[in-house]
Amino acid sequence: MHFLGHIVRFIVAALVLMVVGWIVPQFSVGGFWSALVLALVIALLSWVVEGIFGKRINPFGRGIVGFLVSALVIYIAQFIVSGVSVTLLGALLAALVIGIIDLFIPVATPYEAARDHR
């Protein structure tokens, strides 16, 4: 059942990324499969960032540093996942919208799902 929980988290994260693609003008996701792969890539990149810089600077942490690192991870992920197009402003807006959605829908981010899997 633990594995199924991670699958559900990634599906919810992909749906959130699709909603963000619909709301944010400079952020587009090609479809559900691109969003699912994007959620996985964001989780992996976030895990790498935390591994390099430690837990104080994680992409989905609190504060301005966490926000900026989150936007940077989203921006870099577009170069790995096909069907995703993001500008720097789009990445900043996407990080903001994802943060706002996370306030109302308390689901784990792709980063947290990957971290919990360790």
Side-chain angles (χ1 to χ4, degrees):
M1 186 71 164
H2 191 62
F3 179 73
L4 184 60
H6 291 298
I7 298 297
V8 170
R9 283 181 179 180
F10 276 104
I11 291 172
V12 170
L15 292 173
V16 167
L17 288 169
M18 289 182 68
V19 168
V20 170
W22 182 65
I23 294 173
V24 176
Q26 297 179 0
F27 180 92
S28 67
V29 180
F32 177 74
W33 293 110
S34 292
L36 193 61
V37 173
L38 181 62
L40 180 64
V41 168
I42 288 172
L44 292 174
L45 287 174
S46 301
W47 178 74
V48 168
V49 167
E50 184 182 301
I52 293 171
F53 295 108
K55 294 198 185 283
R56 290 185 335 178
I57 300 181
N58 75 34
F60 294 96
R62 305 226 184 264
I64 190 71
V65 173
F67 170 74
L68 292 174
V69 172
S70 176
L72 184 63
V73 164
I74 292 169
Y75 183 76
I76 291 171
Q78 76 168 324
F79 299 112
I80 300 169
V81 181
S82 64
V84 177
S85 176
V86 184
T87 64
L88 282 173
L89 180 60
L92 287 168
L93 292 173
L96 179 65
V97 171
I98 289 169
I100 291 170
I101 290 173
D102 190 46
L103 286 174
F104 296 105
I105 304 172
V107 288
T109 62
Y111 164 75
E112 291 168 338
R115 182 183 65 197
D116 291 346
H117 190 63
R118 289 191 272 165

